Amino acid sequence: MKNCLLFLCLLITGFTVFAQDNTPSEVLMFSYFKDNGEDGLHLAFSYDGLTWTALKGDSSFLTPTAGKDKLMRDPCIIKGADGLFHMVWTVSWNEQGIGYATSKDLINWSEQLYVPVMHNERATRNCWAPEIFYDKRRSEYVVFWASTIPGRFPLSEGNAEDKYNHRMYYTTTKNFKTFRKTRLLYDPGFNVIDATIVKNGNQYVMVFKDETRDPIKKNLRLSFSKKATGKYSAAEAPFTESWVEGPTVAKVEGQWIVYFDQYTKNKMGAVTSNDLKSWEDISDKVSFPHGTRHGTVFKISKDEFENLNKDKQ
């Protein structure tokens, strides 16, 4: 009996060691919102980039307080050069600023700030889907978003919905306390929203949504630049079907994955590529928590994940 118990213990011990040895050193995270963004920040994790599991029972990690409407849509999180997590988000359908907060552990967050990034353009209608990219070459953060300034781009106003006619704008900062003057980041000649930027070798790749309604586009496209802040090239041909938005990009085992919100189908989708040219739709292979909306993928360390998920251990 003792020998059987010893053998069983060895088996169990061996399995435990094997599991620990194969725990990834980095874990993929996904920040997202649900419904209209009223309850705030949701987080999910994945080991393989395909199956995503909600943390904290899919309840909110942070209730929104910034902006007049107090929403937290399109939350974008990055790990900064300072070791902190920096987050920006859409605070309202129609305001001239964005939300900002920071955290050491994704659990405890700083005071939420309203950053008036478009107050220099008083006619601005909105600031949608802000994102952050850390530019290592200049040791600064590029914060960018989509805004409509009525009358600024008249040639594409006829193809816009409710007269929203967006272009991408940006500002830069080294400390999220002082920001440089807001500038135009990308004008592809049509209504554009939901941009995200990743680095591929010496190139900067912008993935964005062509928001053209007439004729229907509503798909994702690419543009390239030698600098994070442009000038970006003319838009490449669409690489997704129509009626998708909110792209976010990860590289998993050498493959690019672009996740997106299939908002008319109330579910998430994805495409993959090894060269950013040829794409395969893998929407039937990915699974997300029910109700996941436009979010951002990022990575955290094994220790950070264990601390974040410690209540489940």
Side-chain angles (χ1 to χ4, degrees), residues 129-174:
E131 295 224 358
I132 311 171
F133 178 83
Y134 183 67
D135 187 352
K136 291 183 180 179
R137 186 172 63 173
R138 299 181 61 89
S139 299
E140 65 183 12
Y141 300 91
V142 182
V143 184
F144 52 101
W145 62 92
S147 286
T148 290
I149 303 176
R152 186 61 55 88
F153 301 98
L155 292 180
S156 56
E157 280 189 353
N159 297 324
E161 297 169 279
D162 195 24
K163 296 187 177 180
Y164 282 113
N165 187 29
H166 303 87
R167 296 301 186 271
M168 299 305 305
Y169 294 86
Y170 79 100
T171 182
T172 59
T173 181
K174 291 184 180 293

Side-chain angles (χ1 to χ4, degrees), residues 5-281:
L5 288 173
L6 177 61
F7 179 68
L8 180 59
C9 288
L10 288 173
L11 281 178
I12 294 173
T13 302
F15 175 77
T16 302
V17 171
F18 178 81
Q20 289 176 343
D21 287 347
N22 285 271
T23 301
S25 59
E26 290 186 314
V27 178
L28 289 165
M29 297 292 297
F30 199 88
S31 59
Y32 60 100
F33 76 100
K34 303 185 73 172
D35 300 317
N36 196 34
E38 302 94 337
D39 74 336
L41 173 66
H42 291 255
L43 295 173
F45 74 93
S46 176
Y47 294 133
D48 61 5
L50 300 177
T51 301
W52 294 86
T53 303
L55 288 167
K56 202 178 174 181
D58 207 13
S59 59
S60 174
F61 277 77
L62 183 64
T63 302
T65 60
K68 64 182 182 182
D69 293 334
K70 295 179 173 52
L71 301 179
M72 189 171 282
R73 298 173 61 87
D74 324 312
C76 171
I77 297 176
I78 73 163
K79 182 75 171 288
D82 55 5
L84 298 175
F85 294 100
H86 297 272
M87 178 171 67
V88 292
W89 66 91
T90 304
V91 298
S92 170
W93 287 97
N94 290 293
E95 280 196 68
Q96 295 177 344
I98 62 176
Y100 169 74
T102 187
S103 174
K104 293 181 179 180
D105 56 11
L106 298 173
I107 301 170
N108 303 292
W109 289 87
S110 69
E111 177 187 1
Q112 297 174 41
L113 301 178
Y114 174 81
V115 186
V117 291
M118 288 299 284
H119 278 204
N120 62 311
E121 293 279 4
R122 301 306 299 179
T124 302
R125 290 185 62 184
N126 61 326
C127 294
W128 285 359
E131 295 224 358
I132 311 171
F133 178 83
Y134 183 67
D135 187 352
K136 291 183 180 179
R137 186 172 63 173
R138 299 181 61 89
S139 299
E140 65 183 12
Y141 300 91
V142 182
V143 184
F144 52 101
W145 62 92
S147 286
T148 290
I149 303 176
R152 186 61 55 88
F153 301 98
L155 292 180
S156 56
E157 280 189 353
N159 297 324
E161 297 169 279
D162 195 24
K163 296 187 177 180
Y164 282 113
N165 187 29
H166 303 87
R167 296 301 186 271
M168 299 305 305
Y169 294 86
Y170 79 100
T171 182
T172 59
T173 181
K174 291 184 180 293
N175 53 21
F176 288 94
K177 296 178 181 178
T178 59
F179 297 83
R180 290 193 175 184
K181 181 180 177 180
T182 291
R183 299 179 183 275
L184 179 68
L185 176 63
Y186 190 48
D187 169 23
F190 51 79
N191 189 3
V192 57
I193 64 171
D194 294 357
T196 189
I197 296 172
V198 294
K199 198 167 188 293
N200 181 32
N202 295 322
Q203 276 190 323
Y204 296 86
V205 184
M206 181 186 290
V207 186
F208 58 89
K209 180 187 180 184
D210 181 343
E211 183 69 331
T212 303
R213 177 59 186 259
D214 184 19
I216 291 293
K217 301 295 184 183
K218 303 285 187 176
N219 46 38
L220 302 185
R221 305 174 72 169
L222 298 179
S223 181
F224 302 89
S225 174
K226 294 180 180 179
K227 296 194 302 181
T229 55
K231 185 178 180 178
Y232 282 87
S233 64
E236 300 281 312
F239 64 92
T240 67
E241 63 181 5
S242 298
W243 302 106
V244 303
E245 63 185 17
T248 186
V249 186
K251 201 166 191 181
V252 180
E253 296 184 355
Q255 287 286 113
W256 293 101
I257 301 179
V258 178
Y259 305 96
F260 46 79
D261 184 349
Q262 295 178 301
Y263 59 103
T264 61
K265 299 179 180 179
N266 298 313
K267 64 179 183 178
M268 297 293 292
V271 293
T272 185
S273 173
N274 59 15
D275 59 6
L276 298 175
K277 296 178 181 178
S278 301
W279 297 90
E280 176 188 358
D281 193 303

